Amino acid sequence: MIPFEYVRATDVAGAVAAGAAPGAAYLASGTNLLDLMKGGAVRPTRLVDITRLPGLAAVERREDGSLRIGALVRNSDLAHDPAFARAYPAVAEALLSGASAQLRNAATAAGNVMQRTRCPYFTDTGSACNKRRPGSGCDARGGETRLHAILGWSEACIATHPSDFCVPLVALDAEVEIAGPAGTRTVPLDSVHRLPGDAPERETVLEPGELMTALVLPPEAAAFAGHSRYLKVRDRTSYAFAVVSAAAALRCENGRIAEARLALGGVALKPWRAREAERLLAHRAPDEAAFRAAAEAALAGAKPSGDNAFKIELARRLVVRALSHAASGTPERLPALPGSVFAPAPEAAHV
Amino acid sequence: MSVDIVLTVNGTRRTIPIPDPRITLLDLLREGLHLTGAKKGCDRGQCGACTVLVDGRRINACLALAISLDGAEVLTIEGLAEGDRLHPVQAAFIAHDGFQCGFCTPGQIMSAVGLIREAQAGQDPERIREAMSGNLCRCGAYAGITEAVLEAQAAMSPQPADMSPQPADQSQGEAA
Ligand SMILES: Cc1cc2nc3c(=O)[nH]c(=O)nc-3n(C[C@H](O)[C@H](O)[C@H](O)COP(=O)(O)OP(=O)(O)OC[C@H]3O[C@@H](n4cnc5c(N)ncnc54)[C@H](O)[C@@H]3O)c2cc1C
Ligand code: SF4
Ligand code: FES
Ligand code: FES
């Protein structure tokens, strides 16, 4: 880790001013930032500690039925908030399927959204990486690409965004509140993360100095509470990133799907909303044929970026399974293994 | 430029100079305060050997900057026993052979203490294993660890029956 200046921000305006300087990075809990700094993949010369900013650690239910999640709310506190888990069960399940209890206790809502890719070549400073050093090439191409993208990737970068939390959030039309040198603005989460194109070093729409202050779930998001799941295929049962994940949320009326929401994780450099699949599901009976058609549509544009063609079929099957689980109803209590596709089968339990 | 921070470590409030903001809580504990119970396994949040409680919550000390924790209360394995009287989690790890080489054990025990405080897992072994998944054990003492956590939790909770899993546990998702 290279030396850096440590600045403790006491208000949002001060944080934004300190964070706009070249080489500055915001420090929330640091579970992603410090990890990358230790390996030298990122080398900020100033850390602006935002953990003491007042008013950003609250979950606020607003009169209009929307919910505002402060940037500093800890992942575990949000997931274990009973009212939150009841209203947005897929979000709670996604949070609890991520990382470990220790990491979730530290990790903040904004830090989770803003976490960087887990592409191992990005992390390894001995490898060429267009994201870490623009124009240097991409050593992931032709390398170990099991976990790389199948949607939205470019010749310049095939990485994925690792967040579980973002996947149901994007399905539920979450918005992000951003404070910056020019004031505050609100952006749909779906347009926060950029696809790589020919500039993979530009990861989000946040400009230097811009600070995420909150996530907002719109009033309609709670309407899916009865039929929501997040499923995540991992290389081991727990404490692993998604190979592929899916958030499915249905609003059902008279035995039919009135409205569907679907998003995929582990497939692209952003949480991937499958809008065409959602359109196909609307007004249909929640049956296998409808789910298969949705899965086909969700993966229609997918192509392997290396040795990961298997992820396309895996994602299709996961979509079908997530939609089926959602259709059969949100469980009373989150499963013992949140997000696990094997959860109800005793023979597939943790060993 | 050295900055002073205040930490309450195992019940003792102390003013601690931080000569370099790069110092993690784990390095401060081990090298600054000579509390070597918390172990450095991976130094990257991947193994749980460095688990301590900060303000009552278990976290990975290797991924926390000490300077950012100014004012916090830290509990490490060294602060768990009361004199010669072991903490119930420590006693249960011994009773159930919850370790072999012992390297992961301080982290396992602190994680278990945090888990019991969180009161989310109840007496369901599957939920205990999931909640302990942030602590790796290369010796594979997991079976004993799970039993130890279950026993310590039962011993520490006044009404264990209240925490038992609900019947819905076994049935979710089966319709699909
Ligand atoms: C071993 C391990 C396993 C993990 N497994 C998973 C997993 O399975 N699923 C998953 O989703 N995640 C996983 N994670 C990632 C974890 O969720 C993130 O590290 C965590 O959410 C980051 O939160 P933080 O508060 O520590 O952010 P920090 O590390 O402090 O910040 C992360 C990034 O966001 C920026 N940032 C932080 N706050 C703001 C803000 N308010 N505005 C603008 N920028 C900001 C920082 O500058 C930094 O670039 C894992 C991490 C580890 C170490
Ligand atoms: S895939 Fe993207 S992040 Fe990974 S090495 Fe290539 S450019 Fe870098
Ligand atoms: S040393 Fe901290 S998690 Fe491994
Ligand atoms: S007892 Fe040896 S690593 Fe766990």
Side-chain angles (χ1 to χ4, degrees):
Chain A
M1 213 190 289
I2 63 164
F4 56 81
E5 175 198 9
Y6 172 83
V7 180
R8 186 177 294 163
T10 52
D11 57 30
V12 168
V16 166
Y26 291 121
L27 172 73
S29 273
T31 59
N32 182 228
L33 185 59
L34 290 181
D35 189 5
L36 291 170
M37 287 169 68
K38 286 181 182 190
V42 303
R43 305 161 78 84
T45 49
R46 170 191 278 184
L47 288 196
V48 180
D49 185 344
I50 58 171
T51 54
R52 320 245 161 176
L53 291 179
L56 297 190
V59 179
E60 190 193 327
R61 286 164 189 86
R62 301 197 289 199
E63 294 249 315
D64 64 354
S66 64
L67 184 91
R68 184 175 183 275
I69 304 161
L72 296 177
V73 174
R74 309 287 173 166
N75 288 190
S76 53
D77 290 342
L78 188 60
H80 291 311
D81 175 332
F84 179 84
R86 250 193 320 278
Y88 315 103
V91 185
E93 184 163 21
L95 280 168
L96 292 176
S97 77
S100 65
Q102 289 93 318
L103 289 159
R104 295 190 296 266
N105 275 345
T108 62
N112 190 315
V113 172
M114 296 298 291
Q115 65 175 299
R116 316 284 302 272
T117 180
R118 290 273 155 179
C119 171
Y121 301 92
F122 168 74
T123 318
D124 168 29
T125 55
S127 297
C129 170
N130 288 322
K131 187 182 275 302
R132 183 166 25 76
R133 183 138 36 103
S136 64
C138 170
D139 275 351
R141 301 307 304 273
E144 285 285 333
T145 46
R146 256 177 70 70
L147 299 180
H148 284 78
I150 50 171
L151 284 162
W153 55 271
S154 71
E155 290 304 319
C157 178
I158 59 172
T160 54
H161 191 259
S163 167
D164 293 301
F165 184 38
C166 284
V167 180
L169 282 181
V170 87
L172 295 174
D173 276 337
E175 295 187 323
V176 171
E177 269 180 31
I178 298 169
T184 59
R185 59 187 180 122
T186 301
V187 177
L189 176 61
D190 197 20
S191 43
V192 165
H193 301 94
R194 295 170 180 275
L195 288 178
D198 54 10
E201 72 280 8
R202 299 184 62 200
E203 295 185 344
T204 69
V205 298
L206 272 71
E207 300 292 339
E210 282 197 318
L211 176 78
M212 183 184 299
T213 50
L215 283 156
V216 177
L217 280 165
E220 312 79 69
F224 299 88
H227 295 276
S228 298
R229 284 305 297 271
Y230 181 72
L231 292 184
K232 174 179 179 186
V233 177
R234 286 158 274 193
D235 279 341
R236 58 183 185 193
T237 310
S238 179
Y239 199 14
F241 288 94
V243 178
V244 174
S245 70
L250 304 174
R251 193 161 59 71
C252 298
E253 275 168 18
N254 308 322
R256 296 186 92 77
I257 299 168
E259 191 183 356
R261 300 289 180 85
L262 182 68
L264 297 173
V267 296
L269 208 36
K270 60 182 291 185
W272 191 267
R273 179 87 179 260
R275 292 181 196 272
E276 181 56 27
E278 293 176 1
R279 265 189 291 275
L280 290 178
L281 287 164
H283 314 302
R284 289 196 54 169
D287 56 26
E288 174 110 7
F291 300 154
R292 284 195 185 281
E296 284 302 323
L299 278 301
K303 55 181 187 338
S305 59
D307 286 334
N308 55 5
F310 78 98
K311 284 177 66 166
I312 300 174
E313 180 57 19
L314 187 61
R316 282 194 199 104
R317 294 182 188 189
L318 194 65
V319 164
V320 172
R321 176 115 42 138
L323 286 166
S324 319
H325 279 18
S328 63
T330 306
E332 272 298 301
R333 187 180 183 208
L334 273 183
L337 301 174
S340 171
V341 287
F342 306 114
E347 74 276 14
H350 242 129
V351 279
Chain B
M1 192 192 66
S2 185
V3 177
D4 285 350
I5 64 166
V6 176
L7 288 183
T8 303
V9 183
N10 297 333
T12 308
R13 193 179 147 91
R14 40 208 300 186
T15 300
I16 302 165
I18 302 291
D20 185 323
R22 288 177 290 183
I23 295 172
T24 61
L25 176 61
L26 181 61
D27 286 341
L28 177 70
L29 290 171
R30 291 181 55 84
E31 282 160 43
L33 306 180
H34 306 293
L35 295 169
T36 54
K39 296 289 181 279
K40 188 182 281 195
C42 65
D43 208 24
R44 303 296 276 271
Q46 296 176 5
C47 74
C50 64
T51 303
V52 298
L53 301 196
V54 170
D55 295 329
R57 302 156 66 98
R58 51 180 166 152
I59 67 160
N60 302 113
C62 69
L63 287 185
L65 279 189
I67 195 168
S68 175
L69 298 177
D70 193 4
E73 245 177 69
V74 181
L75 183 66
T76 73
I77 189 79
E78 288 89 347
L80 216 51
E82 284 175 36
D84 285 342
R85 221 180 81 227
L86 292 181
H87 185 278
V89 175
Q90 291 174 306
F93 266 67
I94 293 173
H96 290 277
D97 280 338
F99 49 85
Q100 288 179 35
C101 78
F103 185 83
C104 71
T105 312
Q108 300 279 3
I109 290 177
M110 295 314 293
S111 190
V113 172
L115 177 161
I116 293 168
R117 288 191 189 201
E118 286 158 17
Q120 296 290 334
Q123 290 291 335
D124 176 355
E126 194 63 9
R127 285 179 195 270
I128 299 281
R129 282 190 282 268
E130 165 63 16
M132 290 295 290
S133 72
N135 293 83
L136 305 190
C137 174
R138 289 304 299 269
C139 299
Y142 296 111
I145 291 170
T146 305
E147 283 168 27
V149 178
L150 281 166
E151 181 188 280
Q153 180 171 255
M156 289 168 72
S157 74
Q159 293 154 303
D162 286 353
M163 299 176 71
S164 59
Q166 295 158 12
D169 274 7
Q170 297 308 312
S171 59
Q172 324 107 4
E174 264 168 8

